[in-house]
Amino acid sequence: MQNNLSPEDFSKHIDERLKKRRFSLALKRLVDIILSLIGLTILLIPFMIISIIIKLTSKGPVFYRQERIKKGNVPFRIFKFRTMVQDADKKGMLITVGEDKRITGIGKFLRKSKIDELPQLINVFIGDMSFVGPRPEVPKYTKLYDEYQKNILKIRPGITDLASIKYKDEASVLAKSESPEDTYINEIMQEKLSINLEYIEKISVIQDIKLIIITILEVIGFEINGQKD
């Protein structure tokens, strides 16, 4: 679609799409609030146990509060269980490549099982994020968005999206590259943005439910495979 429109016309097109889906977006937010509150209540004790394990096995805070960009090109601090050594972002790239030496022992499990992402329910509840939406990027990468891609920042970022499901083995893919960050910026990020622009075109609660189910199945698939190995 964007190839047939100027950046300005494409931006107007997205605005019109979102305006027509005001009810769906309002319902999406209501569902986010209810489900995130339920999730945080159910996971309170597991969160406490995981927090204790993280503190006992490595130095540093329980949560990793990296700055990301949300709707409106506004920065916010994301909640994730810390899976790397303290100040890992100062000791390497902003992306994770292969068997990154900065990842802690418990961090490997938390990453593979996606449990490290669950504290983002806090971000969902307070309105920074949604359950489904483009994964929030760091400022360094959002500054590289072209005029078409900036439309991604017109909706709340999410815990999961089709792009992250497609690139669930992103770290392994980048490990094979001679220049991981260049590969991420010029190839992977570009395709992710294209996928998410398509998501915005079709945004709906039904589509979100489908993506949540797919994400859950992917996590379950990990656990099943883990038992076989």
Side-chain angles (χ1 to χ4, degrees), residues 7 35 47 80 115 128 130 154 156 176 223:
L35 293 185
F47 274 15
K80 296 180 72 172
I115 291 176
D128 291 330
S130 176
K154 291 184 176 180
R156 286 187 176 88
K176 300 175 183 177
E223 293 176 349

Side-chain angles (χ1 to χ4, degrees), residues 34-222:
I34 295 173
L35 293 185
S36 61
L37 181 58
I38 292 173
L40 288 169
T41 302
I42 294 174
L43 294 170
L44 179 59
I45 293 178
F47 274 15
M48 292 175 65
I49 295 172
I50 293 170
S51 298
I52 292 172
I53 294 174
I54 291 174
K55 291 297 289 184
L56 291 176
T57 56
S58 64
K59 294 181 180 180
V62 169
F63 295 115
Y64 176 53
R65 302 296 313 281
Q66 187 184 48
E67 184 179 85
R68 301 287 180 97
I69 299 298
K70 63 179 180 178
K71 179 181 177 182
N73 200 22
V74 176
F76 75 103
R77 296 283 177 179
I78 198 170
F79 280 95
K80 296 180 72 172
F81 280 124
R82 181 175 57 81
T83 60
M84 290 186 166
V85 296
Q86 190 171 12
D87 297 324
D89 52 351
K90 298 177 182 178
K91 301 174 182 177
M93 296 183 291
L94 292 174
I95 53 176
T96 306
V97 180
E99 296 296 324
D100 199 309
K101 294 181 179 180
R102 296 173 295 172
I103 300 175
T104 63
I106 183 63
K108 292 179 181 179
F109 169 73
L110 295 176
R111 280 173 170 266
K112 287 185 178 180
S113 62
K114 302 298 182 183
I115 291 176
D116 65 314
E117 306 282 358
L118 291 179
Q120 289 165 53
L121 289 172
I122 300 172
N123 292 115
V124 173
F125 182 71
I126 63 180
D128 291 330
M129 296 174 63
S130 176
F131 270 98
V132 179
R135 287 295 297 160
E137 278 286 10
V138 296
K140 176 181 179 179
Y141 296 146
T142 58
K143 290 177 182 178
L144 302 177
Y145 289 0
D146 64 28
E147 292 304 311
Y148 293 104
Q149 296 165 340
K150 288 178 182 178
N151 286 284
I152 292 292
L153 303 176
K154 291 184 176 180
I155 64 171
R156 286 187 176 88
I159 293 178
T160 187
D161 65 351
L162 189 59
S164 59
I165 292 172
K166 179 174 181 178
Y167 282 99
K168 61 181 180 179
D169 296 322
E170 180 181 306
S172 298
V173 173
L174 292 174
K176 300 175 183 177
S177 172
E178 294 182 359
S179 181
E181 188 166 38
D182 286 342
T183 297
Y184 178 75
I185 292 172
N186 299 316
E187 297 178 24
I188 294 177
M189 188 176 81
Q190 300 305 315
E191 186 167 357
K192 282 185 173 182
L193 288 168
S194 294
I195 291 172
N196 285 318
L197 284 173
E198 289 183 17
Y199 165 77
I200 294 177
E201 290 268 2
K202 304 173 183 177
I203 193 168
S204 71
V205 174
I206 298 299
Q207 182 180 207
D208 281 6
I209 292 174
K210 289 180 180 178
L211 286 174
I212 290 172
I213 292 174
I214 291 173
T215 301
I216 293 173
L217 291 175
E218 287 289 340
V219 173
I220 292 174
F222 156 74

